[in-house]
Structure formats: C-alpha cells, structure tokens
C-alpha cells in the first residue's frame, strides 16, 4: 500500500490518505468481482505442503518481528535476515524492565497454553470450564502487566506502552472517483487482492483443517471484498485476513463467523469507552500474545514427511519456506503458487505408463513389472495413468514407438485409458499421428476402457472413423478378441 500510494502523493497529505482509501475501494471491487465470477478455484493451486511451508515461515517471521517489543528495542525488516541483523545491531539498547515483562508474559502464556488446562482438570474442574479459564490466559496477562506498568509508572523508565488511542468510532469516508487515480492504482489493487486472497486462504485452510472443516474460496473472496469496501468507507486502507490475528482469535475459542461480529461489537465498545484503560498496556505483552499464537502453527515436521513421501513436494516446501524467510511473504506466496503449478506440469508431462498383462485365471490386468501376468507377443497393452494434454503428448508418442520397435512380432497396440479423464486438441493430433504411423507399419491401434466424456470427445472429432482398430469396453474384451483374431 505504501509503495503504491507514495508514487502519486506525498506521505501525510490529504491526497495520500485519499489514495489509500481509494486503493481499498478498488481492492474491494477486484475481490468481489473474483468472487462473483467464482474464481476461488485459484486457491486450488496451493498444495498442502506449500501452505504448510508458507505458514511455518510466516510464523517465524512474525515471531521474530515481535522480539523488538519483547526486548524494548528498535528493529525493522520484512525478511528473517533483515530482522536478525536489525535486532543484533540494536540489542545494546535493551530495556531490562521491558525484557523481564516480555519474557515473563511469554513464559506464562506458554504455560497457560500447555499446562494450565491439564492442571485444572486434575484438580477436578469441569473440562469445559477449565477450557474457558485456559483461553482467558492472554486477558490475565494483559490486565496484570497493565496494572504493574501503571502502578510503578514503568513507562517513565523506558517501557514501551500502547499510549494514547483516539477515542470514538472512525468517520465515514468516500473513495476518490478520479480516473487518473484509478488508473495509477488499479495494478497495485489487483496485486494486493491476489496476494491478500492467497495469504488469507492459506491461514483459513490451516485453521479449518484443525477443526475438520472446509472453506468456500468464492465466499472468502466476497467476504474480503466486502471488508475492503467497508474499510474504504471508514478511512481504512486495504485489508486481508491477518495471520497473527486469525491465530489469536482461534486460540481464544472462535468457532463460527459470529466470533467476528462479537469482536466488532467489542472493538466498537472499547474504542468508545476503554481507550484510557489501555494507555499503560505494555507492547511486550501484546508481542508475547502474538508470538505464542503464531508459533503454534510452526511445523518443521512437514519437511521430514514430504522428504519421505515425495522429493518434488519436499522441494516445493523447502523453496517456499526459504523464499518466504529470505525474501519476504509476498514473494514466498508467489513462489509457492508458481512452484506448485510447475511441479504439477512436470509430473503430468511425464505420466506413469505401464505395460500390462493378464493376472492368471482372472479378468484383471496389472503392470508386468509388479505382478506375475500373462502376455501375448502380438499384443502390446499400455496403460497411461494421466489425462492427455499438450504437455505429455510427445512423451506418449515416444514411449509407444519405443515399445513397438522392440517387438517385431507385434500386431496390435491397445491404449488402456481407465485413468484418462480428458484429451485436448494437441493430444488428439498426437493420437492421429500414432494411428497413422502404426497403421503404416502393419500394426492396428486400439483403445480400451474409455470413459464416456472422452469417448464423446473422440466421436465428435471424427477420430474414431479413421481409427485402424477398435474401442473395447474393457481390457479383457480387448485381449480376448484380439487373441482370437490372432489365432493364438
């Protein structure tokens, strides 16, 4: 937001504020449009390993960014190396009283999170009541540290406090409708909308998984769009689903969207009546609350799991985590989505293909490399375990020609399509080329187990009219018919 708005207005001026409000309005329109056109499927390009890597790296960055408040020093940076360098450079300005408050509050919150609930249950407190008391830990820390700072006047001794918060609700505002301003901000609005959506959905999916729930990405887009439009009407800049705030809300026991409504009511009441009471609230306590919350989602075990399961997924997790830590959250999100897509394209461009044979005394056909099966030297059956599209057609052609060249007695090639869900135009042209080349070599080309939609595609294009062989309902039908036709 700062980068976009600073290009068209001087910071602190009325034009600067108007541009930020307009940017929120444009972001709201973009998000609403994406939601209404049901483009939430873009969230599908975020694989779970990439989300896990992004969430872990983001949690580390947020926790590191709060250490300055724990220690009472000044530090800045959007990446982990920048934060570490800044903290190391300014550590000499450590405020010991602030550090004591921060460390004690952090330790207390960790204990509340892990030890208080079991302790209360062991003392005979009902589990539901014990859960409510445990979730109130941050409130206790806030009240206690605020009273300590106020009573001993620790702000005068260098302890950073929230300070004076303007009292009252924000005034109503209106976005600018200048076409010049819109043209200068629309690019930034689109980028903010996409990055904000991806980050929001990443957090939402992670928290939903903890409760075995699912989210509707299209509705998330509409909700984010409405929130940005609301921000533009109340003097706000572009907003998104906050990582740290979402986790704090989750830790407090939020289960339904009603929690957001209660939070809004609570904030409205606080802004009208409670702002004088939080003047002495130490920033170290707020930092401790955020650190304890976000570290609960840091999960390095995903590296071990993906290494064992899939080296490609491990590469995606490691790259997303590294880029987020070293280059920032925005680049981390972009890299995560890009890597997920590239890995998908790589895997599907080199699909698993197997030569299959008949399992003795059954109608089942399995990979000759994995099972003891019966094969016929005049019949080659290749099963392809992927839909056919432009990226893998050359791989299919090369494999078929390679296998045909190895078997001089071959009379029939059967492409077993039980896993093929669609065939695009490039794949169709490759199938036509395969059909012509095999036919020229005296080998007929057949299909088995074609799905209905794929059969419709091939029928509509006229390909089946020029097919040298047949289309069989099952692989067993193909094997039986062709074996009899070969007099074997």
């Amino acid at each position: 937001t700062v980068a976009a708005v600073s290009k068209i207005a001087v910071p602190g001026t009325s034009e600067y504020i108007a541009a930020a409000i307009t940017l929120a309005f444009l972001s709201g329109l973009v998000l609403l449009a994406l939601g209404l056109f049901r483009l939430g499927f873009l969230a599908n390009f975020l694989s779970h390993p990439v989300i896990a890597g992004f969430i872990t790296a983001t949690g580390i960055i947020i926790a590191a960014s709060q250490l300055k408040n724990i220690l009472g020093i000044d530090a800045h940076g959007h990446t982990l190396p920048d934060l570490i360098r800044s903290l190391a450079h300014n550590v000499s300005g450590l405020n010991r009283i602030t550090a004591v408050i921060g460390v004690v509050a952090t330790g207390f919150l960790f204990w509340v999170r892990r030890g208080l609930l079991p302790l209360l249950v062991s003392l005979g407190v009902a589990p539901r009541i014990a859960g409510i008391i445990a979730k109130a830990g941050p409130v206790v820390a806030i009240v206690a540290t605020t009273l300590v700072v106020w009573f001993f006047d620790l702000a005068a001794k260098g302890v950073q406090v929230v300070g004076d918060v303007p009292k009252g609700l924000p005034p109503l505002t209106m976005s600018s409708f200048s076409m010049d301003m819109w043209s200068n901000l629309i690019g930034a609005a689109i980028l903010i909308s996409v990055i904000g959506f991806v980050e929001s959905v990443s957090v939402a999916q992670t928290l939903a998984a903890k409760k075995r729930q699912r989210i509707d990405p299209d509705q998330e887009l509409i909700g984010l769009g409405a929130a940005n439009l609301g921000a533009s009407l109340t003097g706000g800049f572009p907003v998104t689903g906050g990582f740290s705030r979402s986790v704090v809300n989750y830790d407090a026991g939020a289960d339904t969207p009603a929690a957001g409504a209660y939070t809004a009511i609570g904030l409205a009441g606080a802004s009208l009546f409670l702002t004088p009471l939080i003047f002495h609230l130490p920033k170290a306590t707020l930092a401790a609350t955020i650190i304890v919350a976000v570290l609960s989602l840091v999960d390095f075990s995903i590296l071990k799991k993906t290494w064992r399961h899939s080296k490609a997924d491990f590469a995606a997790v490691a790259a997303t985590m590294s880029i987020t830590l070293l280059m920032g959250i925005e680049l981390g999100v972009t890299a995560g989505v890009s890597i997920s897509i590239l890995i998908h394209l790589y895997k599907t461009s080199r699909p698993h293909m197997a030569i299959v044979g008949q399992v003795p005394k059954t109608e089942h056909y399995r990979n000759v490399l994995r099972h003891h099966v019966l094969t016929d030297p005049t019949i080659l059956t290749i099963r392809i375990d992927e839909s056919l599209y432009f990226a893998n057609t050359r791989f299919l052609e090369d494999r078929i020609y390679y296998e045909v060249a190895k078997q001089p007695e071959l009379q029939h090639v059967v492409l077993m399509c039980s896993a093929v869900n669609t065939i695009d135009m490039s794949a169709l042209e490759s199938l036509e080329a395969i059909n012509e080349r095999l036919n020229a070599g005296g080998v007929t080309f057949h299909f088995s187990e074609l799905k209905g939609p794929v059969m419709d595609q091939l029928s509509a294009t006229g390909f089946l009219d020029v097919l040298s062989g047949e289309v069989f309902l099952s692989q067993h039908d193909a094997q039986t018919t062709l074996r009899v036709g070969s007099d074997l």
Side-chain angles (χ1 to χ4, degrees), residues 181-218:
M181 183 175 290
W182 278 39
S183 63
N184 288 326
L185 294 177
I186 188 61
I190 293 173
L191 181 61
I192 287 173
S193 299
V194 173
I195 296 296
F197 169 62
V198 171
E199 185 175 352
S200 299
V201 168
S202 298
V203 180
Q205 288 180 338
T206 300
L207 297 181
K210 287 179 174 289
K211 290 181 177 284
R212 296 187 179 183
Q213 297 173 345
R214 296 186 63 84
I215 65 170
D216 181 352
D218 294 321

Side-chain angles (χ1 to χ4, degrees), residues 396-415:
L396 172 66
E397 287 188 52
D398 291 344
R399 179 63 184 276
I400 290 179
Y401 297 151
Y402 173 76
E403 296 296 340
V404 170
K406 293 196 306 180
Q407 303 182 43
E409 300 178 23
L410 199 63
Q411 299 177 18
H412 306 281
V413 170
V414 182
L415 189 62

Side-chain angles (χ1 to χ4, degrees), residues 154-169:
L154 297 181
K157 299 179 181 179
V159 175
Q160 296 180 358
V161 296
V162 171
D164 185 37
V165 177
K167 188 176 182 179
L169 299 176

Side-chain angles (χ1 to χ4, degrees), residues 21 117 131 236 403 413 471:
I21 293 172
L117 180 60
E403 296 296 340
V413 170
V471 177

Side-chain angles (χ1 to χ4, degrees), residues 269-429:
S271 65
L272 290 172
F273 308 111
L274 302 181
T275 52
L277 300 180
I278 62 174
F279 182 94
H280 294 284
L281 172 60
K283 292 183 178 180
T285 304
L286 296 179
T289 303
I290 293 173
I291 288 173
V292 173
V294 299
L295 287 183
S296 67
L297 294 184
V298 172
D299 179 19
F300 288 107
S301 67
I302 190 66
L303 292 170
K304 184 177 180 181
K305 292 177 183 176
T306 53
W307 177 261
R308 290 179 174 178
H309 177 72
S310 168
K311 299 301 186 289
D313 285 337
F314 172 81
V317 173
T320 302
M321 197 177 295
S322 301
I323 293 173
T324 303
L325 289 172
L326 300 177
M327 304 182 69
I329 292 174
E330 290 79 7
L331 282 176
V333 172
T334 305
V337 175
S338 301
I339 292 170
S340 295
I341 295 174
L342 288 174
I343 288 177
H344 171 74
L345 291 175
Y346 175 77
K347 288 181 177 179
T348 56
S349 69
R350 301 176 61 84
H352 179 262
M353 298 175 66
I355 299 174
V356 301
Q358 184 179 8
V359 178
K361 300 180 181 180
T362 73
E363 296 183 4
H364 300 294
Y365 291 79
R366 295 292 185 268
N367 190 337
V368 298
L369 299 179
R370 291 178 177 269
H371 301 270
H372 173 65
V373 294
L374 303 176
T375 58
D376 188 324
T378 66
I379 304 172
L380 170 67
T381 300
I382 297 181
R383 188 190 69 219
I384 180 166
D385 298 331
E386 184 62 67
S387 292
L388 298 176
Y389 74 117
F390 64 90
N392 59 25
T393 53
R394 178 58 61 87
F395 187 78
L396 172 66
E397 287 188 52
D398 291 344
R399 179 63 184 276
I400 290 179
Y401 297 151
Y402 173 76
E403 296 296 340
V404 170
K406 293 196 306 180
Q407 303 182 43
E409 300 178 23
L410 199 63
Q411 299 177 18
H412 306 281
V413 170
V414 182
L415 189 62
M416 188 175 175
C417 299
S418 52
V420 176
N421 296 315
T422 185
I423 296 176
D424 75 356
M425 197 63 195
S426 297
L428 176 63
E429 292 178 354

Side-chain angles (χ1 to χ4, degrees), residues 15-213:
E15 292 81 7
Y16 184 84
I17 297 174
I21 293 172
T22 303
L23 188 56
F25 182 76
L26 291 175
S27 297
L29 292 181
V30 171
L31 288 163
L32 278 178
L34 292 174
L36 293 174
F37 284 102
R38 306 188 67 81
L39 295 179
F41 70 88
L42 294 172
N44 296 335
F45 292 108
L46 278 172
S47 67
H48 173 72
V50 166
I51 291 176
F54 169 71
I55 292 294
T56 294
T58 304
I60 294 172
I61 289 176
I62 292 176
S65 71
Q66 295 301 315
L67 289 177
K68 63 179 182 182
N69 293 320
I70 293 289
L71 302 176
I73 62 178
D74 185 33
H76 302 283
H78 297 289
T79 66
L80 187 60
D82 289 343
L83 287 168
I84 292 175
R85 282 193 295 267
S86 184
L87 287 168
H89 183 265
N90 295 296
V91 72
S92 58
L94 170 72
N95 184 287
R96 294 177 180 175
I97 299 177
T98 299
V100 170
I101 293 175
V103 171
V104 170
T106 304
F108 171 76
L109 291 175
F110 270 119
W111 174 77
V112 166
R113 187 181 187 88
R114 298 184 179 181
L116 182 58
L117 180 60
L119 175 62
L120 293 174
V121 172
S122 67
L123 294 176
V125 180
R128 180 176 176 81
I129 301 300
I132 293 175
I133 295 174
K135 293 181 185 300
V139 177
V140 174
I142 287 172
V143 172
T145 54
T146 300
L147 290 175
V148 168
V149 170
W150 167 74
F151 185 80
F152 293 102
D153 192 21
L154 297 181
K157 299 179 181 179
V159 175
Q160 296 180 358
V161 296
V162 171
D164 185 37
V165 177
K167 188 176 182 179
L169 299 176
L172 295 178
T173 56
M174 182 63 68
S175 164
S176 170
F177 290 93
S178 166
M179 288 299 102
D180 288 339
M181 183 175 290
W182 278 39
S183 63
N184 288 326
L185 294 177
I186 188 61
I190 293 173
L191 181 61
I192 287 173
S193 299
V194 173
I195 296 296
F197 169 62
V198 171
E199 185 175 352
S200 299
V201 168
S202 298
V203 180
Q205 288 180 338
T206 300
L207 297 181
K210 287 179 174 289
K211 290 181 177 284
R212 296 187 179 183
Q213 297 173 345

